[in-house]
Amino acid sequence: MNVRHGDVISPLIVHGTIRAPGDKSISHRALIFSTIAIGASRITDILESADVHATANALRALGARIPTLSSDFTVVGGGTDALHSPAEPLNCANSGTTTRLLAGLVAGLVGVTARFEGDASLSRRPMRRVTQPLTTMGARIVFEGARNHDGLPMRVTGAPLHALVWKSEHASAQIKGALLLAGLAAGVSVEVHEPVRSRDHSERMLLARGVALSVLADGVRLDAKQTMLSMDVHVPADPSSASFFAALAALATDGTLRLTDVCLNPTRTGAFDVLRRMGASVRIEDQRDVGGEHIGTVVVHPGTLVATRIAGEEIPRCIDELPLLACVAARAVGETIIADASELRVKESDRIRAVADNLRTIGVEVEEHAAGMRIVGGTHALVGRVVTHGDHRLAMAFGILGALPGNAIEIDDPDCVAVSYPNFWRDLARVSAPNTSGAGATNASALIIAIDGPAASGKSSTAQWVAQRIGVRHVDSGAFYRALTYLGVQSAVPSLEWTAEHLLLMSHRITQRMTDRSVLPLIDGAMVDEALRDSPVTQHVSLVAQMPKVRVWVNTQVRLAAERSDVVVDGRDIGTAVFPDAALKVFLIADPWERARRRLIQRLARSPSDGEIALETEALVLRDARDATQSAPARDAITIDTTTLTQEEQVERIVALAEATKGRIGSRD
Ligand code: S3P
């Protein structure tokens, strides 16, 4: 799509259900473990992609009886004794998992020798991380490529292996899996320690097959001389593939995507956590356990996304999703940092360099670091041609950005998705057709920004500024409470006797006036702005605002205003009861002392003394307690602590969030 200035960009409204293809890690392991077990293992919903075909073909070449892959087939395993040297080299294509896991298996098969080959990308990837422990166990491994290159092609010759205790430098399930397979094939014990826990599908599958294995705090121990049972395997949907659509739903204008049957193994769900932390609504439903894996439906709904930091122990939990999360960060408010992710440099491509280069090409500000990157989010159109280096996850990550309204992104090699998700483009087209129904589009473009917070958190003045900066109207719900309180004060009835009914009988005298900048309450057709700030009104407004019927009335007034205009609204329970679907919800907080100080400066027009602030703080704390039930932040609100921020700074932050929200959903004005 070519977008010109002034073009009308239709919102992206996503709807539908996706069952992402089978989990890649589990699919490889299902084939390998079923081959070396004795007996029949039925495998359903395996991933039928290039990487898994590579494992199936290599196993067949080693003597395994694996039928053509389909959604339901059976492998009859004959144990490791049934395996032999392949007649041809094992072509591992693009698949690191095939190479490393099968290198471990072959290393433990006495007298079996196999040459491992791969495509250009795989041939560049480091293999010493597995060959070093395997040779320590006694296997013979020779790199047959350029000198000093620890990659494919390599020849692995199995031998009677020794037991091993290995401290891995990398958090890698491929290393762990390779060593477990070597131990199983050779009948020796293996203990692997890793710096951070990597995905644990091998452990789960082996335990389910009756193998004596202990999960350690930092790794795994396999006992010597294990026999493996055959077992049926249902392959759940791959969370790495599902997360592309979770990201699409998070970034969309509106709608919901349901991702069914997703593997929710906690070593794999980091991307869902990150998206949730950035502001998307990510819900898990229909959870169950199947074959040692936890499975469920992931329901994702858009939100205004804010930048985040992804680092440390979270990295292995979202390692394959980091290119995608970097693309999401390009659309979030603020600067996202990805750190501690040097492993990305040795994936199917150097994913730090490739993601940073491509983001830069399409117009994103990004800084490449040795072990990660810094991405500056924005809302402008992203346009350009992405070079994938044949890396499936890059193609899909940028494919998601390209599906967003206004962006025009060309992918140089879209077919490389065949490595893990052959039907990716078809699924993307199915759920992201631009919305053409007038009704949906109108609803989606109603811009409501809700600002809330405790008394004296500055929500009203901040909302006013934000509204002015982004060019929409401000509705101060407090002004409507004050207007009704004013009528109470003016009436002959003493405040102790006020009831909601008494006050609401006078409410017909309050009307709305829409100015360029705001929606205001008028009393008997006249502006009474000043009078609404008078101290008798201030004294009684909290009492009036406690009355449930009055709250219903004010909420109706505010909703009426929002029906006619894009608005920034501030007030209690605005983001929870009044506009639960507001496009952006901000909850301002600040220390009571600071709030008291600000309120006194406003009231006294001079610097207050510490004594005065202390007294006011006490009053505010009491008021907070009284208001507590009405003032809880909405679950999807973005909380901003303004204690150390100037008024300008807090306005700036909210304006940035508001601009991003406007960019996401469009606006009527
Ligand atoms: C995988 C492990 C991870 C992951 C890869 C699949 C596996 O790699 O990135 O896509 O199935 O064992 P590392 O083991 O190199 O971390």
Side-chain angles (χ1 to χ4, degrees), residues 184 206-207 209-214 221-227:
L184 281 167
L206 291 175
L207 283 169
R209 286 175 182 270
V211 169
L213 181 128
S214 322
R221 185 176 50 239
L222 168 79
D223 290 353
K225 297 200 173 34
Q226 295 300 306
T227 30

Side-chain angles (χ1 to χ4, degrees), residues 24-25 29 97 100 129 171-174 199 319-320 347:
K24 189 153 77 68
S25 295
R29 287 162 175 79
T97 313
R100 295 189 178 123
R129 51 182 59 202
S172 162
Q174 293 176 357
R199 63 190 65 187
I319 187 78
D320 293 336
K347 293 291 178 188

Side-chain angles (χ1 to χ4, degrees), residues 378-666:
T379 54
H380 57 287
L382 302 176
V383 180
R385 180 178 159 88
V386 163
V387 180
T388 57
H389 307 279
D391 185 338
H392 55 137
R393 299 212 193 273
L394 254 70
M396 293 186 277
F398 283 91
I400 293 299
L401 265 189
L404 302 180
N407 293 348
I409 297 174
E410 194 190 331
I411 310 287
D412 70 340
D413 178 12
D415 293 344
C416 66
V417 301
V419 160
S420 63
Y421 197 159
N423 290 326
F424 174 76
W425 300 111
R426 195 198 61 189
D427 283 354
L428 181 59
R430 183 161 64 79
V431 295
S432 63
N435 178 274
T436 45
S437 95
T442 312
N443 274 346
S445 55
L447 179 69
I448 299 171
I449 296 177
I451 300 186
D452 200 351
S457 55
K459 52 185 181 296
S460 176
S461 49
T462 304
Q464 205 173 338
W465 278 105
V466 171
Q468 194 181 337
R469 283 282 308 279
I470 65 167
V472 305
R473 293 189 173 86
H474 170 226
V475 187
D476 173 4
S477 67
F480 287 87
Y481 287 108
R482 284 174 177 270
L484 206 58
T485 310
Y486 174 84
L487 291 177
V489 170
Q490 297 287 302
S491 73
V493 181
S495 59
L496 277 178
E497 293 170 27
W498 290 357
T499 61
E501 287 73 15
H502 158 70
L503 294 170
L504 290 173
L505 267 179
M506 300 183 282
S507 65
H508 65 278
R509 293 172 56 194
I510 303 176
T511 51
Q512 289 192 9
R513 171 146 164 223
M514 197 188 283
T515 70
D516 278 356
R517 293 190 169 174
S518 58
V519 182
L520 300 168
L522 302 184
I523 293 183
D524 301 326
M527 295 262 283
V528 280
D529 207 31
E530 289 288 297
L532 295 188
R533 308 273 149 208
D534 275 357
S535 76
V537 174
T538 303
Q539 250 169 39
H540 294 102
V541 64
S542 167
L543 169 83
V544 172
Q546 305 285 315
M547 299 174 179
K549 286 188 182 158
V550 169
R551 300 195 71 77
V552 171
W553 176 80
V554 171
N555 293 350
T556 311
Q557 295 295 315
V558 174
R559 286 200 194 101
L560 210 71
E563 262 172 35
R564 291 188 276 156
S565 165
D566 287 349
V567 288
V568 177
V569 198
D570 71 276
R572 294 299 154 72
D573 64 18
I574 282 292
T576 46
V578 190
F579 295 116
D581 292 327
L584 171 66
K585 300 172 187 175
V586 175
F587 195 83
L588 299 177
I589 55 167
D591 275 1
W593 180 273
E594 177 58 20
R595 282 188 280 139
R597 196 184 66 82
R598 289 179 195 167
R599 166 159 285 191
L600 286 172
I601 292 175
Q602 203 177 35
R603 192 185 300 154
L604 309 172
R606 63 165 167 82
S607 290
S609 68
D610 280 1
E612 286 170 321
I613 302 179
L615 267 180
E616 187 68 22
T617 303
E618 247 174 65
L620 267 182
V621 170
L622 277 177
R623 169 104 195 248
D624 284 352
R626 206 168 353 122
D627 292 346
T629 47
Q630 303 151 12
S631 324
R635 245 177 5 111
D636 51 349
I638 297 167
T639 299
I640 301 181
D641 186 343
T642 70
T643 308
T644 58
L645 299 182
T646 63
Q647 172 86 32
E648 289 73 31
E649 285 169 337
Q650 53 176 297
V651 168
E652 265 333 301
R653 287 208 189 172
I654 302 172
V655 165
L657 292 167
E659 291 293 357
T661 306
K662 267 177 91 175
R664 182 164 64 82
I665 73 165

Side-chain angles (χ1 to χ4, degrees), residues 158-169:
L161 304 183
H162 326 290
L164 177 78
V165 176
W166 190 252
K167 208 167 160 174
S168 171
E169 272 175 40

Side-chain angles (χ1 to χ4, degrees), residues 33-41 76-81 209 227-231:
F33 294 150
S34 300
T35 294
I36 61 174
I38 306 233
S41 298
V76 181
T80 46
D81 290 347
R209 286 175 182 270
T227 30
M228 201 168 5
L229 308 175
S230 58
M231 182 186 93

Side-chain angles (χ1 to χ4, degrees), residues 37-365:
I38 306 233
S41 298
R42 179 177 170 194
I43 304 176
T44 45
D45 290 335
I46 196 165
L47 169 65
E48 292 177 58
S49 80
D51 266 18
V52 180
H53 284 302
T55 291
N57 288 336
L59 285 169
R60 288 183 190 117
L62 285 163
R65 294 193 347 239
I66 297 182
T68 306
L69 302 189
S70 67
S71 60
D72 188 347
F73 65 100
T74 298
V75 175
V76 181
T80 46
D81 290 347
L83 302 180
H84 52 68
S85 299
E88 303 283 326
L90 301 179
N91 179 2
C92 301
N94 189 248
S95 177
T97 313
T98 306
T99 314
R100 295 189 178 123
L101 294 187
L102 292 185
L105 174 62
V106 171
L109 302 175
V110 182
V112 174
T113 181
R115 185 173 202 259
F116 288 74
E117 293 178 357
D119 68 9
S121 144
L122 181 60
S123 302
R124 278 193 294 271
R125 298 178 67 183
M127 293 298 150
R128 180 155 293 127
R129 51 182 59 202
V130 284
T131 59
Q132 199 181 3
L134 291 173
T135 45
T136 306
M137 290 176 88
R140 286 208 332 269
I141 302 178
V142 183
F143 295 117
E144 297 185 343
R147 267 189 69 191
N148 297 329
H149 173 58
D150 71 319
L152 302 192
M154 70 178 178
R155 180 171 296 279
V156 180
T157 305
L161 304 183
H162 326 290
L164 177 78
V165 176
W166 190 252
K167 208 167 160 174
S168 171
E169 272 175 40
H170 311 273
S172 162
Q174 293 176 357
I175 300 176
K176 189 167 59 176
L179 301 183
L180 290 172
L181 277 161
L184 281 167
V188 297
S189 69
V190 165
E191 193 171 307
V192 187
H193 301 270
E194 41 185 2
V196 177
R197 184 175 296 286
S198 62
R199 63 190 65 187
D200 63 359
H201 304 297
S202 295
E203 292 92 309
R204 287 169 186 259
M205 234 185 243
L206 291 175
L207 283 169
R209 286 175 182 270
V211 169
L213 181 128
S214 322
V215 174
L216 314 172
D218 66 342
V220 61
R221 185 176 50 239
L222 168 79
D223 290 353
K225 297 200 173 34
Q226 295 300 306
T227 30
M228 201 168 5
L229 308 175
S230 58
M231 182 186 93
D232 293 350
V233 186
H234 164 72
V235 184
D238 194 321
S240 303
S241 299
S243 54
F244 291 108
F245 290 97
L248 180 75
L251 290 162
T253 317
D254 203 356
T256 304
L257 286 183
R258 298 178 63 81
L259 311 169
T260 55
D261 204 23
V262 177
C263 175
L264 295 174
N265 179 319
T267 60
R268 298 288 303 283
T269 47
F272 299 130
D273 295 342
V274 172
L275 288 174
R276 196 182 284 120
R277 188 163 78 231
M278 292 178 89
S281 156
V282 182
R283 245 185 16 250
I284 309 290
E285 291 178 1
D286 190 21
Q287 300 185 53
R288 59 208 188 274
D289 287 316
V290 181
E293 292 286 359
H294 193 56
I295 292 176
T297 297
V298 182
V299 185
V300 189
H301 177 75
T304 295
L305 303 182
V306 283
T308 190
R309 180 181 163 81
I310 313 170
E313 306 220 334
E314 195 166 42
I315 293 292
R317 298 183 57 241
C318 59
I319 187 78
D320 293 336
E321 293 77 73
L322 288 172
L324 172 69
L325 294 171
C327 287
V328 173
R331 273 282 175 260
V333 177
E335 295 183 11
T336 291
I337 301 284
I338 298 175
D340 308 323
S342 54
E343 276 298 300
L344 284 183
R345 296 230 179 249
V346 291
K347 293 291 178 188
E348 286 84 327
S349 65
D350 173 347
R351 287 182 176 162
I352 295 180
R353 163 87 22 110
V355 168
D357 284 353
N358 281 309
L359 282 175
R360 208 171 291 117
T361 301
I362 60 172
V364 179
E365 187 184 332

